[in-house]
Amino acid sequence: MASALRAAILGHIRVPVVANGSKLLTPLWIRSMSSHDDHLEKTQVIDRILDIVKSFPKVDPSKVTPEVHFQKDLGLDSLDNVEIIMAIEEEFKLEIPDKEADKIDSCALAIEYVYNHPMAS
Amino acid sequence: MSGAASYLARRAVQKERVRILYRRALKDTLNWAVHRHLFYPDADALRERFDANKNVEDIETIDRMIADGEAQYNKWRHPDPYIVPWAPGGSKFTRNPTPPSGIEIVYDYGREDH
């Protein structure tokens, strides 16, 4: 008897579910708090990295382009390179392993690395 | 000339050790001096210490200096360093792993036929 009542109530408030593919009906607002699939745009990455490099005190801001090499074109030291990479890590909340951080030598490499990193934000 | 090649190889290894040591020392400086207005003078002092030895040529001296530097770094390591949350050692590491691929939710609430 209780189960019949329950079935009647459920039948009354049942929301009709369309058997269509669910992707079309998934409202966009459901995952608004999820950062699962939001990746940075490449232009954003380029702008932020260029800002970091330009605000470095030993760098001449007018020479900075997305393909510039830190030691050859900007005349920086290898220790300055380390400092720039640390600043990039702090900006994008990344943790770059030491061996890979050693290899990042130019703006182009840095942009590539940050853009392809899944956890860059 | 294998002599020159091995010398250059040793120098390259030393340069890499110096870069990695500087990177770790800088991060450690930031761990100890959390506020930026304290960090910047400390980072400058660290850079001065590295720059003072920049022009040493003798390979054995450089090796000894690097070993000294690494010993000092190990002595001053912070016990609770800041690690980015999703990295190993951070607070969010393996906190919410993605479920295995075969599992899914069956959306049939109200339509179960018990």
Side-chain angles (χ1 to χ4, degrees):
Chain A
M1 204 285 234
S3 66
L5 184 58
R6 176 176 169 269
I9 292 178
L10 282 178
H12 182 67
I13 63 174
R14 177 174 304 163
V15 176
V17 175
V18 183
N20 201 348
S22 58
K23 283 238 163 53
L24 292 172
L25 299 177
T26 311
L28 291 172
W29 46 263
I30 277 193
R31 293 294 290 269
S32 64
M33 297 282 204
S34 152
S35 59
H36 166 71
D37 51 2
D38 86 75
H39 298 294
L40 290 174
E41 306 279 326
K42 191 129 190 188
T43 49
Q44 278 186 344
V45 172
I46 294 180
D47 283 338
R48 283 161 79 175
I49 290 188
L50 289 187
D51 279 340
I52 292 176
V53 179
K54 283 179 192 166
S55 61
F56 197 65
K58 296 183 193 172
V59 160
D60 181 12
S62 57
K63 284 193 196 168
V64 176
T65 71
E67 285 92 2
V68 88
H69 194 276
F70 294 139
Q71 295 187 20
K72 293 181 196 154
D73 296 331
L74 296 177
L76 292 179
D77 206 1
S78 59
L79 298 185
D80 293 327
N81 199 349
V82 170
E83 290 181 11
I84 290 184
I85 294 173
M86 235 191 92
I88 292 177
E89 273 191 341
E90 288 183 345
E91 166 78 19
F92 290 98
K93 301 184 200 144
L94 291 178
E95 180 88 14
I96 307 181
D98 287 339
K99 293 280 177 182
E100 296 188 21
D102 212 25
K103 299 194 178 85
I104 298 182
D105 253 347
S106 63
C107 266
L109 272 178
I111 293 170
E112 274 302 313
Y113 189 86
V114 171
Y115 183 62
N116 292 333
H117 199 112
M119 302 296 305
S121 71
Chain B
M1 282 235 304
S2 71
S6 72
Y7 172 78
L8 288 176
R10 260 181 93 177
R11 287 295 294 257
V13 167
Q14 283 177 345
K15 286 180 189 173
E16 186 175 338
R17 279 176 77 185
V18 168
R19 286 199 292 268
I20 290 184
L21 177 63
Y22 181 61
R23 187 178 145 84
R24 291 187 181 161
L26 201 57
K27 284 193 175 172
D28 219 36
T29 314
L30 184 56
N31 282 330
W32 280 114
V34 178
H35 305 287
R36 300 308 277 208
H37 71 272
L38 299 171
F39 167 64
Y40 286 134
D42 287 345
D44 286 340
L46 178 71
R47 184 65 196 262
E48 290 298 312
R49 284 165 62 188
F50 270 80
D51 276 343
N53 300 328
K54 192 157 74 161
N55 294 322
V56 176
E57 288 298 333
D58 180 27
I59 214 168
E60 303 295 332
T61 320
I62 297 178
D63 267 339
R64 216 175 325 123
M65 280 195 215
I66 295 178
D68 279 344
E70 285 173 355
Q72 275 192 357
Y73 163 71
N74 279 328
K75 181 175 164 210
W76 282 101
R77 278 172 71 173
H78 196 281
D80 184 21
Y82 172 71
I83 302 178
V84 176
W86 50 263
S91 59
K92 208 165 130 181
F93 184 56
T94 63
R95 175 181 281 191
N96 210 359
T98 50
S101 57
I103 295 182
E104 59 174 21
I105 304 177
V106 180
Y107 294 98
D108 64 348
Y109 178 73
R111 283 183 286 130
E112 310 102 335
D113 301 320
H114 303 304

